[in-house]
């Protein structure tokens, strides 16, 4: 990088710090504010939970599905933010004796992700207080983080930018003027996005910086590792779609035959793939940054892999 782009990068890190200070929020004072969840409300908006895909369900049953998905949302984010934070701390070492502005931006990023994990643990518990017993989320965030961090930094940053960009879409969906959508859950989407916006900028800065130090062969291998990571995320989503469909069938208050159970599981998986894979992969800015770093052939490999997850 030349001197001019170095100056502008420092400026971008500095702007992230300013924005981070400006939007900073507190879990209790700003988000929860003494409120509880109410099962009269949906927790996840229709555009994320893909309510229309659950064709055999009544309106009330779709609401229950949105509540299950809201709880899973909290758990999935709690999970991915474990490895994101570990990677951010690892990357910060590159700046220890260098750009102290970049270092401060990453330290704030890490601090925010720790707070977000605490928020999502609270939300999981608060949803658990109002929904029937029997919900399961059996994936261990530490085991996933170890597996993810075994891949190259390039691949992890690609996945991280993808994830942090789609929180913007999740926020947009949640501002849908739907009177049935929980105000408390809307605030979770809103406040989380406020801090994630800075994270996505920092992911891009770190990804491009890291990419500049790779050989063509290292990058080519990293593209394959990114594809492997997306497949690993999909494995988690498949298991959770199965668990959530089983929980729904056990607690919805009526008999669900085998064919319908399969259709419900498929609809959960479709919604989760949309939320956690395709909404980020199709994000215009993600596509722009990714294609600036890779060849056409590498792009085709990624698209071919994503097309199998439909
Ligand atoms: Fe977060
Ligand atoms: Fe984040």
């Amino acid at each position: 990088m030349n001197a001019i782009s170095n100056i502008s990068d420092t400026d971008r890190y500095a702007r992230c710090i300013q924005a981070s200070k400006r939007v900073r929020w507190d879990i209790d004072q700003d988000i929860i504010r003494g409120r509880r969840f109410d099962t009269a409300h949906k927790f996840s908006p229709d555009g994320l939970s893909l309510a229309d895909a659950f064709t055999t369900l009544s309106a009330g049953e779709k609401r229950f599905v949105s509540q299950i998905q809201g709880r899973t949302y909290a758990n999935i984010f709690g999970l991915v933010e474990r490895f994101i934070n570990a990677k951010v701390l690892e990357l910060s070492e590159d700046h220890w004796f260098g750009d102290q502005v970049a270092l401060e931006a990453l330290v704030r990023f890490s601090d925010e992700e720790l707070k977000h994990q605490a928020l999502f643990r609270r939300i999981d518990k608060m949803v658990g207080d109002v929904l029937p017993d029997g919900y399961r989320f059996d994936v261990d965030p530490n085991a996933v983080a170890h597996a993810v961090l075994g891949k190259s930094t390039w691949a992890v940053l690609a996945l991280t930018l993808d994830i942090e960009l789609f929180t913007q879409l999740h926020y947009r969906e949640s501002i849908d003027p739907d009177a049935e959508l929980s105000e408390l859950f809307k605030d979770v989407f809103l406040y989380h996005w406020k801090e994630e916006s800075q994270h996505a900028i920092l992911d891009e800065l770190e990804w491009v910086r890291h990419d500049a130090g790779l050989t063509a062969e290292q990058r080519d291998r990293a593209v394959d590792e990114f594809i492997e990571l997306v497949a690993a995320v999909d494995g988690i989503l498949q298991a959770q779609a199965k668990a959530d469909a089983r929980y729904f069938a056990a607690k919805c208050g009526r008999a669900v035959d085998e064919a319908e159970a399969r259709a419900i599981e498929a609809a959960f998986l479709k919604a989760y793939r949309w939320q956690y894979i395709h909404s980020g992969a199709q994000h215009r800015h993600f596509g722009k940054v990714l294609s600036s770093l890779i060849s056409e052939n590498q792009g085709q490999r990624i698209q071919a892999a994503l097309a199998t997850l439909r």
Side-chain angles (χ1 to χ4, degrees), residues 170-185:
H170 295 179
Y171 160 65
R172 271 206 312 270
E173 290 292 341
S174 74
I175 52 178
D176 190 330
D178 182 342
E180 279 186 44
L181 187 56
S182 158
E183 289 296 326
L184 176 50
F185 232 107

Side-chain angles (χ1 to χ4, degrees), residues 81 84 109 113 116 160 164 167 192 195-196 199-200 203:
E81 297 197 339
I84 290 173
F109 182 159
E113 293 298 36
H116 298 178
T160 304
E164 302 207 298
T167 59
H192 190 225
E195 291 184 340
E196 289 300 315
H199 298 180
D203 294 333

Side-chain angles (χ1 to χ4, degrees), residues 33-282:
R33 289 185 270 137
R35 292 178 287 182
R36 281 172 58 84
F37 285 114
D38 179 346
T39 51
H41 296 142
K42 294 183 223 165
F43 297 167
S44 178
D46 291 350
L48 289 184
S49 63
L50 302 189
D52 290 345
F54 293 81
T55 51
T56 62
L57 304 191
S58 68
E61 289 170 340
K62 287 181 183 180
R63 187 165 63 235
F64 183 33
V65 162
S66 84
Q67 293 160 353
I68 299 169
Q69 290 201 26
R71 188 170 187 182
T72 290
Y73 185 87
N75 282 307
I76 294 277
F77 264 91
L79 176 91
V80 298
E81 297 197 339
R82 187 68 51 88
F83 76 72
I84 290 173
N85 183 43
K87 180 51 78 179
V88 167
L89 287 172
E90 186 190 298
L91 283 165
S92 77
E93 188 174 357
D94 294 349
H95 303 289
W96 282 0
F97 309 112
D99 187 339
Q100 298 299 291
V101 176
L103 180 60
E104 182 182 348
L106 293 185
V107 167
R108 294 189 75 90
F109 182 159
S110 167
D111 177 58
E112 287 159 2
E113 293 298 36
L114 288 167
K115 179 178 68 179
H116 298 178
Q117 288 173 64
L119 166 69
F120 290 124
R121 283 193 296 271
R122 282 283 291 283
I123 297 298
D124 171 59
K125 197 177 167 312
M126 289 172 67
V127 175
D129 287 342
V130 298
L131 288 192
D133 288 342
Y135 171 89
R136 305 202 53 144
F137 186 86
D138 290 332
V139 199
D140 173 16
N142 292 326
V144 171
H146 277 296
V148 169
L149 296 173
K151 305 288 184 191
S152 63
T153 292
W154 193 97
V156 178
L157 283 173
L159 181 65
T160 304
L161 178 62
D162 174 325
I163 290 170
E164 302 207 298
L165 279 173
F166 68 53
T167 59
Q168 188 177 358
L169 171 114
H170 295 179
Y171 160 65
R172 271 206 312 270
E173 290 292 341
S174 74
I175 52 178
D176 190 330
D178 182 342
E180 279 186 44
L181 187 56
S182 158
E183 289 296 326
L184 176 50
F185 232 107
K186 277 187 182 187
D187 279 342
V188 172
F189 288 113
L190 166 65
Y191 282 90
H192 190 225
W193 164 74
K194 281 185 181 193
E195 291 184 340
E196 289 300 315
S197 302
Q198 284 72 255
H199 298 180
I201 295 168
L202 294 169
D203 294 333
E204 181 183 337
L205 283 166
E206 289 297 308
W207 192 19
V208 171
R209 181 183 67 78
H210 178 80
D211 176 83
L214 294 192
T215 64
E217 291 73 30
Q218 286 170 325
R219 186 176 304 103
D220 197 57
R221 176 74 198 117
V223 167
D224 287 337
E225 290 186 338
F226 172 56
I227 291 169
E228 288 162 18
L229 283 176
V230 173
V233 169
D234 193 63
I236 292 170
L237 301 181
Q238 288 186 38
Q240 196 55 33
K242 197 181 280 290
D244 287 353
R246 201 178 294 142
Y247 172 64
F248 173 85
K251 304 293 170 176
C252 69
R254 67 169 172 88
V256 174
D257 68 23
E258 216 181 296
E260 189 185 8
R262 270 200 306 275
I264 291 168
E265 182 184 330
F268 267 107
L269 181 58
K270 188 177 179 191
Y272 291 158
R273 282 175 163 171
W274 166 240
Q275 286 166 40
Y276 305 109
I277 296 177
H278 298 302
S279 64
Q282 289 171 20

